[in-house]
Amino acid sequence: MRKRIVLGLVAGLAALAAGASTTAPASAAAIVIRDTITTPFTESGVPNDCRPGVTGSLEGTNVFDFQSVETEEGFHITGTFTDSGRIDWNDGTYAIFESTEHFAFNAVENGTTVFTLAHQSSPTTYSAEGAFLYSFTFHFVAHVTVTNGDVIRVEFERERLVHTFGDC
């Protein structure tokens, strides 16, 4: 699910970068937009990567904070996605999760835009009785490069699993 959201975000932001208009007069003041959007989400049939055949139902909340600054050169956009929630697995266990994604990019009418996304997620799984089973933290960084409206490079780097505790 998260990868679909990230890829949708990347595609949407790449389209924004490709279509960014810089028609503001040189003397115009910067236009600043800030917002926070909170959205509940659910998904069923979520696979458990540590235990084959175990699936779950996910319920959580996504908070999207962003700021966009428009100048005569283009846009500078930064933001954070924060997810938190619970997955109830079909074997009676459950996981509490949280993840954070930070992104930033400059969108210009003609030229090169690099969109950067840094992600960290940390699910912790418990028995049906609430006893700790395992936990891990996952990190990755992604870059998308757009030149003159064309996506010319998508790069995922530093994808790694760190801090594993318990038997996964």
Side-chain angles (χ1 to χ4, degrees):
M1 179 196 73
R2 171 51 70 200
K3 287 185 180 180
R4 283 184 280 147
I5 292 171
V6 170
L7 293 175
L9 174 66
V10 168
L13 293 174
L16 176 63
S21 173
T22 59
T23 59
S27 62
I31 299 170
V32 179
I33 300 170
R34 293 182 185 97
D35 203 357
T36 299
I37 302 167
T38 301
T39 309
F41 61 92
T42 61
E43 185 174 349
S44 60
V46 176
N48 185 312
D49 293 336
C50 291
R51 297 178 291 154
V54 175
T55 61
S57 296
L58 177 150
E59 185 172 316
T61 302
N62 173 268
V63 178
F64 174 40
D65 289 308
F66 71 93
Q67 174 176 294
S68 171
V69 179
E70 179 184 3
T71 66
E72 63 272 5
E73 287 87 27
F75 293 86
H76 176 70
I77 301 173
T78 60
T80 301
F81 285 100
T82 305
D83 290 343
S84 60
R86 177 179 168 132
I87 304 171
D88 290 304
W89 302 109
N90 63 359
D91 65 355
T93 61
Y94 64 95
I96 303 296
F97 67 89
E98 55 185 52
S99 69
T100 303
E101 295 175 352
H102 300 283
F103 68 89
F105 71 99
N106 293 312
V108 295
E109 185 171 3
N110 292 307
T112 298
T113 297
V114 177
F115 167 76
T116 300
L117 175 78
H119 171 91
Q120 175 180 314
S121 57
S122 301
T124 300
T125 299
Y126 300 91
S127 70
E129 295 75 30
F132 172 83
L133 295 175
Y134 62 88
S135 180
F136 62 87
T137 301
F138 179 75
H139 298 268
F140 77 80
V141 176
H143 300 281
V144 176
T145 304
V146 178
T147 299
N148 296 327
D150 294 322
V151 176
I152 60 166
R153 183 175 177 166
V154 177
E155 178 182 328
F156 292 93
E157 61 183 58
R158 291 187 266 179
E159 185 172 330
R160 64 185 178 179
L161 177 67
V162 295
H163 309 300
T164 301
F165 301 100
D167 291 328
C168 175

